[in-house]
Amino acid sequence: MEFLEALLLMSSLHLSDVNKDIIRKYFLYLSFRESIMTTTSVSKGCFVFKPSAKKKKLSLTAADYFIESLKNSEDGRMRFESCQLLWQQMKSQTEQLQEELNTKLFDNLIGFLKKSHSDFLNKKNDWNCRVRSSEIPTAALLLGVNVTDHEVTFNSLSDNLNEHVTPYVVLLQAKECPGIKQLLQKLLSQLIGCVADLDEDEEDGHTPISQRKMNCSMASLSGWYQNITNKSSSPKKKRRASSEGLQTPPIVVVFKDLESFTSSVLQEFIFISSRYCKELPLVLVFGIATSPMIIHRLLSHSVSSLLCIELFPSLSCTEHLATVVDKLLLSNQFPFKLSGRVLQVLITIFLFHDFSVQNFIKGLQLSVMEHFNSQPLSVLCCDLQDVKNRVKSLSHDQCENIRHVASFMSFVESQTPEAQVKLLTDDIYLKKMTKTCLTDLHAYHENYTPVLRCLHHFTCILPKYPLGKQIRELYCACLEKNIWETEDYKSALNLLRMLAKDELVATLHKCLEVLKPYSERPLDSALIKLEEFLAHFQSLEADTLENVDYEESSTQTGLQKKTDLYQLQKTLLEMKETRRTKKLSRFESLRLEVVDFLDGLVRNYLTRPEEQPLYEVVYFSAASILRKHVNAVPRIALNTALNNPSTYLKSLENDGTLSSAAPDICIAYKLHLECGRLINLYDWLEAFATVVNADDDSDSDSPKQVDEMTHARFIRAVSELELLGFVKPTKQKTDHVARLTWGGC
């Protein structure tokens, strides 16, 4: 209607060209508005409708990406499901381990919080204890330098406190609290979020605390707490049973990274909080990564005296790692295994980079994914019960993959000529032997772990630990080569042959406990042999002491007969010959038998995994790929990208010359490599403009003035190089920058 009225108006009036142009634009606006009103969105009014019978492409799932990356997706779905199932089991095991390791720490901390809360209730009406009541209960958690693992610990701590002590738990980080105002804002906002979860409705015309604008101060916090506790104690209000029925639950403030907080912010907060100890049951928790002395470095004596501090040390990260290795990698619960080099890469990153168990677990997860993605035979990496069914369903191509595996080819070469022909031509016979090999591989792992533990019990008590103090060190050594071929193993056996009786018997008892669960397996004979050794040691008499006393008495008698030099020399030579031909005592004979028995177990059961046929099914050995993804080298990646951008940008040609088609930062980087320690910005700009404008047609050889666009591109490229750490401004010359890498000319 409006469009028609405007059209009639334009036809009846004599207007200028300018006015007509304005009215035409107005017509376009009206038609555009009508199209919007007839459609459901602006885009439908702006663009042409194109009918399409095709359905929208569905978003790809993780399984689709996994299958697309495979060269042969015949069993891709099964491999992905096996990978997911295996990792879910390993992940649940790690979470359970984390809870078990933190149980003692959390129990002690919860007991401390409950005791502090009971003291607050007892002192609430006691106005004579002003000095003691001004102290704030503070728990100092010594968590270690593995900062990346602290987040998991604090989240678990918060859940435990919400469940057993109080719903009012505040987690603070230094980056969120640069000042006291921001700290109080964060504190109140998190507490208001806790109240939002409680069963509180608007009553009597009052607005809930979460919808009311508050002044962020300790007085507001005190008023809020009194309001909440009064409502929760009312018979009409029922709060969730998350604090075990406490009507006045404490407020726990957790400082995750105490070392990163500003000293003035901490001191001001503690000083203000101490003034409200009579009104607020406030408890502080300090997360400390270094040492408890950091508290006294950050806080003055007058402020630290306001805290009642108690230390709570946590389990060290190395002990946590030892538990993870023991439960995940040395357990026969999971079919997946790591090769010696891969395990060494993960342990090296842990020991020399971050001490983070969570990063170690992420590396383990990456190994699982890479193994199932890159190894076609990983479809057989499952429980022994499922292996038989999966072997039956193998296709001809999968059988060919088995025939091309290096360990299976070695196995074929060791068979008779008739068996070799059948293995290479008959798929049914191949499946039968595959099933046998995988069963033997499973039995190999069942015997490998207990013997490894027995060897570790013997070697961890030796001086200087020739085979390592931790079982993971011994495990890596056994995976890489036959352990009995090393010099460290030979020196360990020599030390074991001199082991004392008490230590030897105690170690035999430990080995007996290790082998007891395997009484119905091939290790049953080893268990019986250990019991015989222990019975012999129990009935052993003190023959050694009697022999020593007899030798000493005879030696003294021989030395007292003659005192001349000739007779003394003769007596000493006779004593030396007697020691050489001395008969071993009963204890020494038993000790040698025990050492020989242990050596036999090691040689029989601790062979390298590479000697087992089809070990590639369960072992991940691509250490270079893991190192590339986990232990990144950013400097090398930057150097490669800036020197050869065609490595990442496939549209560029790798001719090794400066080209205007390359990114600006690559051009500036290559030009700066030609300079010395100090780089003249004007000369650098002219060289940059010459390369960028190389494709422009120029009739004269005289240099052109740099245009604004080229100048802006150069400034941006130099700023990016400065951000990456290649150049920096210098005070020596105002129009120069200093080069920071690879020296200078």
PDB file of all heavy atoms in Angstrom, residues 664-665 668 681-682 684-686 688-689 692 706-723 727 737:
ATOM      1  N   ASP A 664      53.757 -11.699   4.314  1.00  0.00           N
ATOM      2  CA  ASP A 664      54.621 -10.563   4.634  1.00  0.00           C
ATOM      3  C   ASP A 664      55.638 -10.904   5.715  1.00  0.00           C
ATOM      4  O   ASP A 664      56.795 -10.482   5.655  1.00  0.00           O
ATOM      5  CB  ASP A 664      53.767  -9.370   5.076  1.00  0.00           C
ATOM      6  CG  ASP A 664      52.905  -8.843   3.948  1.00  0.00           C
ATOM      7  OD1 ASP A 664      53.216  -9.157   2.782  1.00  0.00           O
ATOM      8  OD2 ASP A 664      51.922  -8.129   4.228  1.00  0.00           O
ATOM      9  N   ILE A 665      55.221 -11.670   6.713  1.00  0.00           N
ATOM     10  CA  ILE A 665      56.135 -11.996   7.804  1.00  0.00           C
ATOM     11  C   ILE A 665      57.275 -12.882   7.316  1.00  0.00           C
ATOM     12  O   ILE A 665      58.405 -12.769   7.798  1.00  0.00           O
ATOM     13  CB  ILE A 665      55.365 -12.666   8.970  1.00  0.00           C
ATOM     14  CG1 ILE A 665      56.292 -12.844  10.170  1.00  0.00           C
ATOM     15  CG2 ILE A 665      54.750 -13.982   8.544  1.00  0.00           C
ATOM     16  CD1 ILE A 665      55.587 -13.366  11.404  1.00  0.00           C
ATOM     17  N   ALA A 668      59.734 -10.481   5.519  1.00  0.00           N
ATOM     18  CA  ALA A 668      60.501  -9.703   6.498  1.00  0.00           C
ATOM     19  C   ALA A 668      61.488 -10.586   7.248  1.00  0.00           C
ATOM     20  O   ALA A 668      62.611 -10.155   7.558  1.00  0.00           O
ATOM     21  CB  ALA A 668      59.538  -9.024   7.472  1.00  0.00           C
ATOM     22  N   LEU A 681      65.805   0.124  10.186  1.00  0.00           N
ATOM     23  CA  LEU A 681      64.403  -0.050   9.803  1.00  0.00           C
ATOM     24  C   LEU A 681      64.113   0.524   8.411  1.00  0.00           C
ATOM     25  O   LEU A 681      63.316  -0.046   7.657  1.00  0.00           O
ATOM     26  CB  LEU A 681      63.498   0.610  10.847  1.00  0.00           C
ATOM     27  CG  LEU A 681      63.344  -0.148  12.176  1.00  0.00           C
ATOM     28  CD1 LEU A 681      62.566   0.685  13.175  1.00  0.00           C
ATOM     29  CD2 LEU A 681      62.637  -1.478  11.936  1.00  0.00           C
ATOM     30  N   TYR A 682      64.766   1.651   8.061  1.00  0.00           N
ATOM     31  CA  TYR A 682      64.487   2.239   6.755  1.00  0.00           C
ATOM     32  C   TYR A 682      65.017   1.346   5.636  1.00  0.00           C
ATOM     33  O   TYR A 682      64.322   1.119   4.627  1.00  0.00           O
ATOM     34  CB  TYR A 682      65.112   3.631   6.664  1.00  0.00           C
ATOM     35  CG  TYR A 682      64.785   4.342   5.374  1.00  0.00           C
ATOM     36  CD1 TYR A 682      63.529   4.912   5.166  1.00  0.00           C
ATOM     37  CD2 TYR A 682      65.737   4.429   4.359  1.00  0.00           C
ATOM     38  CE1 TYR A 682      63.231   5.541   3.975  1.00  0.00           C
ATOM     39  CE2 TYR A 682      65.440   5.071   3.167  1.00  0.00           C
ATOM     40  CZ  TYR A 682      64.181   5.626   2.977  1.00  0.00           C
ATOM     41  OH  TYR A 682      63.874   6.249   1.795  1.00  0.00           O
ATOM     42  N   TRP A 684      65.491  -1.817   5.854  1.00  0.00           N
ATOM     43  CA  TRP A 684      64.644  -3.026   5.885  1.00  0.00           C
ATOM     44  C   TRP A 684      63.327  -2.757   5.159  1.00  0.00           C
ATOM     45  O   TRP A 684      62.833  -3.603   4.404  1.00  0.00           O
ATOM     46  CB  TRP A 684      64.404  -3.392   7.349  1.00  0.00           C
ATOM     47  CG  TRP A 684      63.888  -4.785   7.568  1.00  0.00           C
ATOM     48  CD1 TRP A 684      63.697  -5.752   6.639  1.00  0.00           C
ATOM     49  CD2 TRP A 684      63.498  -5.358   8.819  1.00  0.00           C
ATOM     50  NE1 TRP A 684      63.222  -6.901   7.217  1.00  0.00           N
ATOM     51  CE2 TRP A 684      63.091  -6.679   8.565  1.00  0.00           C
ATOM     52  CE3 TRP A 684      63.467  -4.894  10.121  1.00  0.00           C
ATOM     53  CZ2 TRP A 684      62.634  -7.529   9.582  1.00  0.00           C
ATOM     54  CZ3 TRP A 684      63.036  -5.724  11.137  1.00  0.00           C
ATOM     55  CH2 TRP A 684      62.622  -7.033  10.868  1.00  0.00           C
ATOM     56  N   LEU A 685      62.763  -1.563   5.342  1.00  0.00           N
ATOM     57  CA  LEU A 685      61.509  -1.209   4.678  1.00  0.00           C
ATOM     58  C   LEU A 685      61.690  -1.123   3.170  1.00  0.00           C
ATOM     59  O   LEU A 685      60.838  -1.603   2.403  1.00  0.00           O
ATOM     60  CB  LEU A 685      60.996   0.125   5.234  1.00  0.00           C
ATOM     61  CG  LEU A 685      59.795   0.753   4.514  1.00  0.00           C
ATOM     62  CD1 LEU A 685      58.585  -0.173   4.575  1.00  0.00           C
ATOM     63  CD2 LEU A 685      59.456   2.114   5.127  1.00  0.00           C
ATOM     64  N   GLU A 686      62.775  -0.532   2.724  1.00  0.00           N
ATOM     65  CA  GLU A 686      62.996  -0.420   1.278  1.00  0.00           C
ATOM     66  C   GLU A 686      63.174  -1.796   0.640  1.00  0.00           C
ATOM     67  O   GLU A 686      62.651  -2.068  -0.445  1.00  0.00           O
ATOM     68  CB  GLU A 686      64.226   0.451   1.016  1.00  0.00           C
ATOM     69  CG  GLU A 686      63.985   1.926   1.219  1.00  0.00           C
ATOM     70  CD  GLU A 686      65.137   2.765   0.682  1.00  0.00           C
ATOM     71  OE1 GLU A 686      66.254   2.212   0.570  1.00  0.00           O
ATOM     72  OE2 GLU A 686      64.908   3.938   0.366  1.00  0.00           O
ATOM     73  N   PHE A 688      61.943  -4.567   1.782  1.00  0.00           N
ATOM     74  CA  PHE A 688      60.624  -5.195   1.835  1.00  0.00           C
ATOM     75  C   PHE A 688      59.743  -4.693   0.696  1.00  0.00           C
ATOM     76  O   PHE A 688      59.057  -5.481   0.021  1.00  0.00           O
ATOM     77  CB  PHE A 688      59.987  -4.900   3.198  1.00  0.00           C
ATOM     78  CG  PHE A 688      58.606  -5.472   3.372  1.00  0.00           C
ATOM     79  CD1 PHE A 688      58.427  -6.788   3.771  1.00  0.00           C
ATOM     80  CD2 PHE A 688      57.487  -4.697   3.134  1.00  0.00           C
ATOM     81  CE1 PHE A 688      57.155  -7.320   3.924  1.00  0.00           C
ATOM     82  CE2 PHE A 688      56.209  -5.208   3.287  1.00  0.00           C
ATOM     83  CZ  PHE A 688      56.047  -6.534   3.685  1.00  0.00           C
ATOM     84  N   ALA A 689      59.750  -3.381   0.470  1.00  0.00           N
ATOM     85  CA  ALA A 689      58.932  -2.818  -0.613  1.00  0.00           C
ATOM     86  C   ALA A 689      59.408  -3.302  -1.973  1.00  0.00           C
ATOM     87  O   ALA A 689      58.587  -3.523  -2.885  1.00  0.00           O
ATOM     88  CB  ALA A 689      58.972  -1.290  -0.541  1.00  0.00           C
ATOM     89  N   VAL A 692      57.975  -6.835  -2.334  1.00  0.00           N
ATOM     90  CA  VAL A 692      56.510  -6.850  -2.431  1.00  0.00           C
ATOM     91  C   VAL A 692      56.050  -6.310  -3.777  1.00  0.00           C
ATOM     92  O   VAL A 692      55.107  -6.838  -4.395  1.00  0.00           O
ATOM     93  CB  VAL A 692      55.905  -6.034  -1.270  1.00  0.00           C
ATOM     94  CG1 VAL A 692      54.410  -5.820  -1.487  1.00  0.00           C
ATOM     95  CG2 VAL A 692      56.142  -6.748   0.044  1.00  0.00           C
ATOM     96  N   VAL A 706      57.713   4.577  -0.977  1.00  0.00           N
ATOM     97  CA  VAL A 706      56.909   3.499  -0.406  1.00  0.00           C
ATOM     98  C   VAL A 706      55.517   4.021  -0.107  1.00  0.00           C
ATOM     99  O   VAL A 706      55.358   5.050   0.575  1.00  0.00           O
ATOM    100  CB  VAL A 706      57.568   2.942   0.869  1.00  0.00           C
ATOM    101  CG1 VAL A 706      56.724   1.828   1.462  1.00  0.00           C
ATOM    102  CG2 VAL A 706      58.978   2.461   0.565  1.00  0.00           C
ATOM    103  N   ASP A 707      54.508   3.337  -0.616  1.00  0.00           N
ATOM    104  CA  ASP A 707      53.145   3.778  -0.365  1.00  0.00           C
ATOM    105  C   ASP A 707      52.692   3.382   1.042  1.00  0.00           C
ATOM    106  O   ASP A 707      53.356   2.623   1.752  1.00  0.00           O
ATOM    107  CB  ASP A 707      52.198   3.190  -1.410  1.00  0.00           C
ATOM    108  CG  ASP A 707      52.220   1.676  -1.413  1.00  0.00           C
ATOM    109  OD1 ASP A 707      53.186   1.085  -0.865  1.00  0.00           O
ATOM    110  OD2 ASP A 707      51.280   1.059  -1.936  1.00  0.00           O
ATOM    111  N   GLU A 708      51.560   3.927   1.451  1.00  0.00           N
ATOM    112  CA  GLU A 708      51.069   3.722   2.816  1.00  0.00           C
ATOM    113  C   GLU A 708      50.704   2.267   3.079  1.00  0.00           C
ATOM    114  O   GLU A 708      50.922   1.753   4.180  1.00  0.00           O
ATOM    115  CB  GLU A 708      49.859   4.628   3.061  1.00  0.00           C
ATOM    116  CG  GLU A 708      50.197   6.112   3.043  1.00  0.00           C
ATOM    117  CD  GLU A 708      48.972   6.964   3.322  1.00  0.00           C
ATOM    118  OE1 GLU A 708      47.862   6.367   3.431  1.00  0.00           O
ATOM    119  OE2 GLU A 708      49.110   8.190   3.436  1.00  0.00           O
ATOM    120  N   MET A 709      50.141   1.592   2.086  1.00  0.00           N
ATOM    121  CA  MET A 709      49.740   0.203   2.275  1.00  0.00           C
ATOM    122  C   MET A 709      50.963  -0.688   2.524  1.00  0.00           C
ATOM    123  O   MET A 709      50.969  -1.529   3.434  1.00  0.00           O
ATOM    124  CB  MET A 709      48.971  -0.289   1.049  1.00  0.00           C
ATOM    125  CG  MET A 709      48.508  -1.746   1.159  1.00  0.00           C
ATOM    126  SD  MET A 709      47.408  -2.030   2.565  1.00  0.00           S
ATOM    127  CE  MET A 709      45.976  -1.080   2.028  1.00  0.00           C
ATOM    128  N   THR A 710      52.008  -0.500   1.720  1.00  0.00           N
ATOM    129  CA  THR A 710      53.231  -1.286   1.918  1.00  0.00           C
ATOM    130  C   THR A 710      53.862  -0.969   3.268  1.00  0.00           C
ATOM    131  O   THR A 710      54.368  -1.860   3.962  1.00  0.00           O
ATOM    132  CB  THR A 710      54.223  -0.999   0.785  1.00  0.00           C
ATOM    133  OG1 THR A 710      53.594  -1.254  -0.477  1.00  0.00           O
ATOM    134  CG2 THR A 710      55.460  -1.861   0.915  1.00  0.00           C
ATOM    135  N   HIS A 711      53.836   0.301   3.641  1.00  0.00           N
ATOM    136  CA  HIS A 711      54.386   0.695   4.942  1.00  0.00           C
ATOM    137  C   HIS A 711      53.619   0.020   6.092  1.00  0.00           C
ATOM    138  O   HIS A 711      54.222  -0.479   7.056  1.00  0.00           O
ATOM    139  CB  HIS A 711      54.314   2.213   5.076  1.00  0.00           C
ATOM    140  CG  HIS A 711      55.177   2.745   6.178  1.00  0.00           C
ATOM    141  ND1 HIS A 711      55.262   4.084   6.480  1.00  0.00           N
ATOM    142  CD2 HIS A 711      55.983   2.118   7.065  1.00  0.00           C
ATOM    143  CE1 HIS A 711      56.082   4.260   7.487  1.00  0.00           C
ATOM    144  NE2 HIS A 711      56.542   3.077   7.863  1.00  0.00           N
ATOM    145  N   ALA A 712      52.302  -0.012   5.987  1.00  0.00           N
ATOM    146  CA  ALA A 712      51.486  -0.642   7.033  1.00  0.00           C
ATOM    147  C   ALA A 712      51.749  -2.148   7.100  1.00  0.00           C
ATOM    148  O   ALA A 712      51.838  -2.730   8.196  1.00  0.00           O
ATOM    149  CB  ALA A 712      50.007  -0.370   6.769  1.00  0.00           C
ATOM    150  N   ARG A 713      51.881  -2.787   5.945  1.00  0.00           N
ATOM    151  CA  ARG A 713      52.185  -4.225   5.924  1.00  0.00           C
ATOM    152  C   ARG A 713      53.540  -4.511   6.563  1.00  0.00           C
ATOM    153  O   ARG A 713      53.715  -5.500   7.281  1.00  0.00           O
ATOM    154  CB  ARG A 713      52.145  -4.735   4.489  1.00  0.00           C
ATOM    155  CG  ARG A 713      50.748  -4.757   3.880  1.00  0.00           C
ATOM    156  CD  ARG A 713      50.793  -4.982   2.380  1.00  0.00           C
ATOM    157  NE  ARG A 713      51.418  -6.254   2.049  1.00  0.00           N
ATOM    158  CZ  ARG A 713      51.624  -6.670   0.787  1.00  0.00           C
ATOM    159  NH1 ARG A 713      51.258  -5.894  -0.232  1.00  0.00           N
ATOM    160  NH2 ARG A 713      52.197  -7.831   0.565  1.00  0.00           N
ATOM    161  N   PHE A 714      54.503  -3.636   6.307  1.00  0.00           N
ATOM    162  CA  PHE A 714      55.829  -3.819   6.897  1.00  0.00           C
ATOM    163  C   PHE A 714      55.784  -3.663   8.421  1.00  0.00           C
ATOM    164  O   PHE A 714      56.393  -4.453   9.160  1.00  0.00           O
ATOM    165  CB  PHE A 714      56.799  -2.801   6.285  1.00  0.00           C
ATOM    166  CG  PHE A 714      58.143  -2.785   6.933  1.00  0.00           C
ATOM    167  CD1 PHE A 714      59.061  -3.797   6.690  1.00  0.00           C
ATOM    168  CD2 PHE A 714      58.502  -1.770   7.813  1.00  0.00           C
ATOM    169  CE1 PHE A 714      60.311  -3.787   7.294  1.00  0.00           C
ATOM    170  CE2 PHE A 714      59.742  -1.750   8.416  1.00  0.00           C
ATOM    171  CZ  PHE A 714      60.643  -2.764   8.156  1.00  0.00           C
ATOM    172  N   ILE A 715      55.069  -2.652   8.896  1.00  0.00           N
ATOM    173  CA  ILE A 715      54.959  -2.441  10.341  1.00  0.00           C
ATOM    174  C   ILE A 715      54.306  -3.650  11.011  1.00  0.00           C
ATOM    175  O   ILE A 715      54.734  -4.108  12.081  1.00  0.00           O
ATOM    176  CB  ILE A 715      54.171  -1.153  10.632  1.00  0.00           C
ATOM    177  CG1 ILE A 715      54.974   0.067  10.155  1.00  0.00           C
ATOM    178  CG2 ILE A 715      53.834  -1.040  12.102  1.00  0.00           C
ATOM    179  CD1 ILE A 715      54.223   1.375  10.280  1.00  0.00           C
ATOM    180  N   ARG A 716      53.301  -4.189  10.369  1.00  0.00           N
ATOM    181  CA  ARG A 716      52.630  -5.356  10.942  1.00  0.00           C
ATOM    182  C   ARG A 716      53.567  -6.568  10.966  1.00  0.00           C
ATOM    183  O   ARG A 716      53.602  -7.319  11.952  1.00  0.00           O
ATOM    184  CB  ARG A 716      51.376  -5.680  10.135  1.00  0.00           C
ATOM    185  CG  ARG A 716      50.612  -6.885  10.647  1.00  0.00           C
ATOM    186  CD  ARG A 716      49.335  -7.095   9.878  1.00  0.00           C
ATOM    187  NE  ARG A 716      48.606  -8.248  10.380  1.00  0.00           N
ATOM    188  CZ  ARG A 716      47.421  -8.656   9.911  1.00  0.00           C
ATOM    189  NH1 ARG A 716      46.827  -7.964   8.946  1.00  0.00           N
ATOM    190  NH2 ARG A 716      46.837  -9.711  10.419  1.00  0.00           N
ATOM    191  N   ALA A 717      54.342  -6.777   9.902  1.00  0.00           N
ATOM    192  CA  ALA A 717      55.270  -7.913   9.854  1.00  0.00           C
ATOM    193  C   ALA A 717      56.343  -7.789  10.928  1.00  0.00           C
ATOM    194  O   ALA A 717      56.683  -8.761  11.610  1.00  0.00           O
ATOM    195  CB  ALA A 717      55.897  -8.020   8.463  1.00  0.00           C
ATOM    196  N   VAL A 718      56.879  -6.573  11.105  1.00  0.00           N
ATOM    197  CA  VAL A 718      57.904  -6.369  12.136  1.00  0.00           C
ATOM    198  C   VAL A 718      57.317  -6.577  13.528  1.00  0.00           C
ATOM    199  O   VAL A 718      57.968  -7.158  14.415  1.00  0.00           O
ATOM    200  CB  VAL A 718      58.526  -4.969  11.988  1.00  0.00           C
ATOM    201  CG1 VAL A 718      59.476  -4.682  13.141  1.00  0.00           C
ATOM    202  CG2 VAL A 718      59.263  -4.851  10.664  1.00  0.00           C
ATOM    203  N   SER A 719      56.089  -6.133  13.739  1.00  0.00           N
ATOM    204  CA  SER A 719      55.447  -6.336  15.042  1.00  0.00           C
ATOM    205  C   SER A 719      55.244  -7.820  15.331  1.00  0.00           C
ATOM    206  O   SER A 719      55.427  -8.273  16.475  1.00  0.00           O
ATOM    207  CB  SER A 719      54.099  -5.610  15.068  1.00  0.00           C
ATOM    208  OG  SER A 719      54.260  -4.225  14.853  1.00  0.00           O
ATOM    209  N   GLU A 720      54.899  -8.576  14.318  1.00  0.00           N
ATOM    210  CA  GLU A 720      54.734 -10.020  14.507  1.00  0.00           C
ATOM    211  C   GLU A 720      56.065 -10.691  14.815  1.00  0.00           C
ATOM    212  O   GLU A 720      56.141 -11.602  15.660  1.00  0.00           O
ATOM    213  CB  GLU A 720      54.091 -10.634  13.263  1.00  0.00           C
ATOM    214  CG  GLU A 720      52.635 -10.226  13.078  1.00  0.00           C
ATOM    215  CD  GLU A 720      52.071 -10.719  11.758  1.00  0.00           C
ATOM    216  OE1 GLU A 720      52.867 -11.198  10.912  1.00  0.00           O
ATOM    217  OE2 GLU A 720      50.847 -10.625  11.561  1.00  0.00           O
ATOM    218  N   LEU A 721      57.134 -10.270  14.149  1.00  0.00           N
ATOM    219  CA  LEU A 721      58.463 -10.816  14.461  1.00  0.00           C
ATOM    220  C   LEU A 721      58.900 -10.455  15.877  1.00  0.00           C
ATOM    221  O   LEU A 721      59.531 -11.260  16.572  1.00  0.00           O
ATOM    222  CB  LEU A 721      59.484 -10.300  13.443  1.00  0.00           C
ATOM    223  CG  LEU A 721      59.386 -10.861  12.028  1.00  0.00           C
ATOM    224  CD1 LEU A 721      60.420 -10.199  11.126  1.00  0.00           C
ATOM    225  CD2 LEU A 721      59.578 -12.371  12.018  1.00  0.00           C
ATOM    226  N   GLU A 722      58.542  -9.255  16.320  1.00  0.00           N
ATOM    227  CA  GLU A 722      58.863  -8.866  17.695  1.00  0.00           C
ATOM    228  C   GLU A 722      58.071  -9.708  18.692  1.00  0.00           C
ATOM    229  O   GLU A 722      58.595 -10.112  19.739  1.00  0.00           O
ATOM    230  CB  GLU A 722      58.564  -7.384  17.889  1.00  0.00           C
ATOM    231  CG  GLU A 722      58.902  -6.880  19.279  1.00  0.00           C
ATOM    232  CD  GLU A 722      58.561  -5.414  19.448  1.00  0.00           C
ATOM    233  OE1 GLU A 722      58.133  -4.779  18.454  1.00  0.00           O
ATOM    234  OE2 GLU A 722      58.699  -4.910  20.580  1.00  0.00           O
ATOM    235  N   LEU A 723      56.819  -9.988  18.370  1.00  0.00           N
ATOM    236  CA  LEU A 723      55.995 -10.820  19.246  1.00  0.00           C
ATOM    237  C   LEU A 723      56.547 -12.236  19.341  1.00  0.00           C
ATOM    238  O   LEU A 723      56.525 -12.858  20.418  1.00  0.00           O
ATOM    239  CB  LEU A 723      54.554 -10.847  18.722  1.00  0.00           C
ATOM    240  CG  LEU A 723      53.568 -11.715  19.504  1.00  0.00           C
ATOM    241  CD1 LEU A 723      53.387 -11.190  20.922  1.00  0.00           C
ATOM    242  CD2 LEU A 723      52.227 -11.777  18.788  1.00  0.00           C
ATOM    243  N   VAL A 727      63.137 -10.052  17.002  1.00  0.00           N
ATOM    244  CA  VAL A 727      63.754  -8.729  17.076  1.00  0.00           C
ATOM    245  C   VAL A 727      63.183  -8.006  18.289  1.00  0.00           C
ATOM    246  O   VAL A 727      62.156  -8.402  18.845  1.00  0.00           O
ATOM    247  CB  VAL A 727      63.485  -7.903  15.791  1.00  0.00           C
ATOM    248  CG1 VAL A 727      64.157  -8.542  14.590  1.00  0.00           C
ATOM    249  CG2 VAL A 727      61.993  -7.725  15.561  1.00  0.00           C
ATOM    250  N   VAL A 737      66.497  -1.844  15.131  1.00  0.00           N
ATOM    251  CA  VAL A 737      66.029  -2.907  16.027  1.00  0.00           C
ATOM    252  C   VAL A 737      67.157  -3.913  16.169  1.00  0.00           C
ATOM    253  O   VAL A 737      68.002  -4.062  15.275  1.00  0.00           O
ATOM    254  CB  VAL A 737      64.750  -3.597  15.499  1.00  0.00           C
ATOM    255  CG1 VAL A 737      63.564  -2.658  15.511  1.00  0.00           C
ATOM    256  CG2 VAL A 737      64.975  -4.186  14.117  1.00  0.00           C
TER     257      VAL A 737
END
